[in-house]
């Protein structure tokens, strides 16, 4: 019954938000309460999971969101995104979604997914009109979604990629050789297909953007755009103004890389922690603006950022509450008992089963990494007798684990609020793009099985 009650809770939240136009925070809390009581967690247990899940997510991403939004506000006051978009428009133009998908999938997997979306969202919103005044932002949102999660599951040192390889006893180097081309191809092909979908009238500005958002030139107009510009700081070289983003990326990537090879000094691990790295970026941005803008002006810039941060934190935290209640319901154990890996299955069936198990687990649990890890735990005991190279089964798990991020994921709510999308708009971008990516990557995994069999 846990599976049935979880399905009812998730469906109810979607209906309340989309059909009845009830605020996501209220809708998600209603779903949490129903699920907790229906699965026997009791009143106190349900409240404990709601508050505990909220607190756990805030501990994980609260500072990242706050620092990231404030960095974005300060960079916007310096005209950083405007100038960057002008350069990208001249050099990349309407190919920006492909460049973004490729970069996120191959270069940035060492950066945790929450950090990636916090840093990429402002540029996506700013550059949307240069890509396409009508569908620029949803196209970029889809490219961001598939780029981030293709890298997360296929490309070492993405967290899910490392976890899957470890559980399936696949050397990281071997996983990387197969995973990089699959991750890159998945991101690019999905971005093409998503563009074709958008061209068929798929997107509706009236229902797919947040109801409180004002559209200007085909993109959301946000409060930080109304703060006083820092004309003096805007004359700094663009590369200097990008340091608040570049420095944290370098620190995080360096620490992650050294951690994978097992040789990260304590000071590098400290500076490479995402919270510390983004705080350093925030300090750099603050100093740049404070040197040329008076205290009142800086206060207005930061105030706009704080106002935006509050909404994002609340929605994201309640999304974490739903995930905690689902986890406490014991549904993951029920699903694990439901599936079993067949040691005598044909190669094609083994790959499809691994994909399906990971897809169902992720869809139900709401975490890509947990879904992948659980699927690997189910399959790893018999992988040696499947007659398939373990790296192929690992890639099939990665492919399935990317399927359909939706409302039971706290990332969904971060993505939605940072890009000013409605719940329906996030389902039409994040959920659909990751679903397409999971389907697109499956034949690539089948192709990899042929390569592995021939080597």
């Amino acid at each position: 019954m846990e599976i049935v009650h979880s399905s009812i809770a998730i469906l109810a939240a979607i209906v309340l938000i989309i059909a009845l136009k009830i605020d996501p925070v209220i809708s998600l809390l209603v779903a949490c309460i129903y699920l907790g009581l229906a699965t026997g967690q009791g009143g106190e247990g349900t409240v404990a999971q709601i508050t505990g899940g909220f607190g756990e997510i805030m501990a994980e991403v609260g500072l990242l969101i706050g620092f990231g939004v404030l960095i974005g506000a300060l960079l916007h006051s310096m005209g950083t995104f405007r100038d960057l978009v002008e350069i990208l428009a001249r050099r990349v133009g309407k190919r920006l979604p492909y460049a973004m998908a490729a970069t996120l999938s191959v270069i940035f997997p060492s950066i945790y997914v929450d950090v990636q979306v916090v840093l990429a969202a402002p540029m996506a919103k700013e550059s949307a009109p240069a890509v396409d005044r009508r569908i620029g932002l949803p196209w970029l949102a889809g490219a961001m979604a598939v780029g981030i999660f293709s890298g997360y599951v296929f490309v070492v040192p993405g967290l899910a990629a490392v976890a899957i390889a470890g559980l399936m006893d696949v050397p990281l180097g071997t996983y990387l050789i197969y995973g990089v081309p699959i991750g890159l191809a998945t991101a690019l092909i999905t971005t093409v297909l998503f563009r074709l979908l958008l061209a068929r009238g798929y997107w509706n500005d009236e229902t797919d953007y947040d109801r409180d958002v004002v559209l200007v030139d085909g993109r959301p107009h946000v409060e930080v755009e109304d703060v006083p510009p820092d004309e003096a700081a805007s004359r700094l070289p663009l590369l200097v103004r990008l340091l608040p983003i570049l420095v944290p990326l370098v620190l995080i990537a360096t620490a992650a890389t050294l951690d994978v090879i097992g040789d990260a000094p304590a000071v590098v691990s400290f500076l490479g922690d995402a919270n510390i790295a983004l705080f350093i970026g925030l300090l750099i941005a603050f100093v740049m603006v404070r040197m040329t803008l008076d205290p009142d002006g800086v206060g207005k810039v930061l105030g706009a950022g704080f106002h935006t941060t509050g909404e994002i934190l609340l929605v994201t935290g309640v999304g974490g509450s739903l995930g905690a209640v689902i986890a406490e319901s014991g549904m993951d154990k029920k699903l694990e008992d439901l599936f079993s890996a067949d040691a005598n299955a044909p190669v094609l069936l083994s790959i499809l089963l691994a994909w399906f198990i990971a897809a169902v687990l992720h869809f139900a649990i709401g975490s890509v990494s947990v879904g992948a890890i659980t699927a690997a735990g189910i399959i790893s005991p018999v992988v040696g007798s499947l007659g398939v190279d373990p790296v192929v089964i690992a890639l099939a798990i990665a492919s399935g684990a990317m399927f359909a991020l939706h409302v039971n994921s706290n990332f969904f709510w971060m993505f939605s609020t940072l890009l000013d999308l409605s719940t329906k708009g996030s389902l039409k971008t994040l959920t659909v793009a990751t679903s397409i990516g999971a389907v697109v990557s499956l034949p690539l995994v089948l192709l990899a099985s042929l390569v592995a069999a021939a080597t």
Side-chain angles (χ1 to χ4, degrees):
M1 290 300 291
E2 289 86 353
I3 297 174
V4 174
H5 288 307
S6 295
S7 300
I8 292 173
I10 292 169
L11 181 61
I14 294 173
V15 171
L16 288 172
I17 295 168
I18 296 178
L20 301 181
K21 310 297 183 185
I22 296 175
D23 187 85
V25 173
I26 296 174
S27 302
L28 290 171
L29 283 174
V30 169
C32 288
I33 293 170
Y34 164 78
L35 182 58
L37 297 177
T39 54
Q41 297 178 41
E44 290 186 8
T46 300
V47 172
Q49 291 306 315
I50 290 173
T51 55
F54 189 98
E56 184 176 343
I57 288 300
M58 287 300 98
E60 181 179 336
V61 303
L63 289 177
L64 298 180
I65 293 173
F67 294 159
V69 172
L70 292 177
I71 289 172
L74 291 166
L75 291 181
H76 193 279
S77 73
M78 293 188 284
T80 306
F81 294 125
R82 178 198 63 216
D83 294 345
L84 179 61
V85 167
E86 288 178 359
I87 293 174
L88 291 173
R90 289 198 303 268
R91 299 187 179 181
V92 181
K94 298 184 182 299
R95 298 188 299 275
L96 179 59
Y98 303 110
M100 179 173 285
T103 301
L104 290 171
S105 65
V106 176
I107 297 177
F108 286 160
S110 61
I111 313 301
Y112 192 58
V113 294
D114 296 332
V115 181
Q116 290 188 53
V117 72
V118 166
L119 295 179
M123 192 179 77
K125 289 195 291 187
E126 188 78 24
S127 59
V131 174
D132 189 302
R133 288 190 176 274
R134 186 173 61 88
I135 58 170
L137 184 56
W139 189 15
L140 285 165
M144 280 175 56
V146 72
I148 288 173
F149 284 99
S150 291
Y152 188 58
V153 300
F154 286 120
V155 181
V156 175
L159 178 60
V162 172
I164 295 169
L167 287 168
M168 300 299 292
D169 201 23
V170 175
L172 289 179
T174 302
Y175 193 94
L176 185 66
I177 291 171
Y178 285 93
V180 168
I182 291 177
L184 178 60
T186 296
L188 293 176
I189 294 171
T190 301
T191 302
V192 173
L193 296 176
F194 194 68
R195 173 65 178 84
L196 296 175
L197 182 62
L198 289 169
R200 300 178 67 87
Y202 174 70
W203 190 257
N204 185 338
D205 285 353
E206 292 184 2
T207 60
D208 298 339
Y209 285 115
D210 189 302
R211 294 194 303 273
D212 297 327
V213 165
V214 177
L215 294 180
V216 177
D217 292 330
R219 67 179 179 84
H221 178 83
V222 293
E223 185 177 351
V224 295
E225 298 181 39
D226 297 325
V227 300
D230 188 347
E231 298 294 344
S234 67
R235 290 192 288 270
L236 292 171
L238 180 59
L239 184 60
V240 174
R241 284 180 283 155
L242 285 172
L243 287 177
I245 294 178
L246 297 178
V247 170
L249 289 177
V250 171
L251 290 172
I252 296 170
T254 301
T257 303
L258 292 177
D259 186 59
V260 168
I261 64 177
D263 189 28
V267 65
V268 174
S269 297
F270 173 74
L271 295 176
D273 177 86
N275 294 291
I276 298 300
L278 279 182
F279 180 62
I280 292 172
L282 175 60
L283 287 178
I284 295 172
F286 177 81
V287 169
M288 286 183 184
V289 174
R290 183 64 182 84
M291 288 175 61
T292 54
L293 201 62
D294 62 80
D296 288 341
V298 176
K300 290 179 180 178
V301 173
L302 293 177
F306 285 128
H307 183 271
T308 303
T309 300
E311 177 186 1
I312 298 173
L313 290 176
L314 185 58
V315 176
T316 302
V318 176
S321 297
L322 178 59
V325 176
I326 290 174
E328 185 65 19
S329 72
M331 186 179 63
D332 55 344
K333 180 62 178 175
K334 292 292 183 181
L335 288 170
E336 187 174 340
D337 294 339
L338 183 64
F339 293 114
S340 63
D342 186 352
N344 299 311
V347 172
L348 177 60
L349 183 58
S350 296
I351 294 172
L352 294 177
L353 181 61
W355 185 96
F356 181 72
I357 291 174
V360 172
L361 287 168
H362 165 237
F363 187 86
I365 297 171
S367 167
V368 172
S369 57
V370 174
I373 289 169
T374 306
I378 293 170
I379 298 172
S380 59
V382 299
V383 70
S385 57
L386 290 176
V388 187
D389 192 310
V391 71
V392 175
I393 300 299
L395 293 168
I397 292 171
S399 173
M402 188 168 52
F403 182 76
L405 273 87
H406 64 100
V407 298
N408 62 349
S409 166
N410 67 287
F411 183 93
F412 178 94
W413 299 107
M414 286 182 62
F415 186 91
S416 177
T417 49
L418 287 168
L419 289 171
D420 294 315
L421 304 177
S422 67
T423 301
K424 183 178 180 181
S426 297
L427 289 169
K428 291 171 74 171
T429 50
L430 176 61
T431 306
V432 170
T434 52
S435 299
I436 295 173
V439 173
V440 164
S441 58
L442 181 57
L444 299 176
V445 173
L446 294 173
L447 180 61
S449 71
L450 299 177
V451 175
T455 55

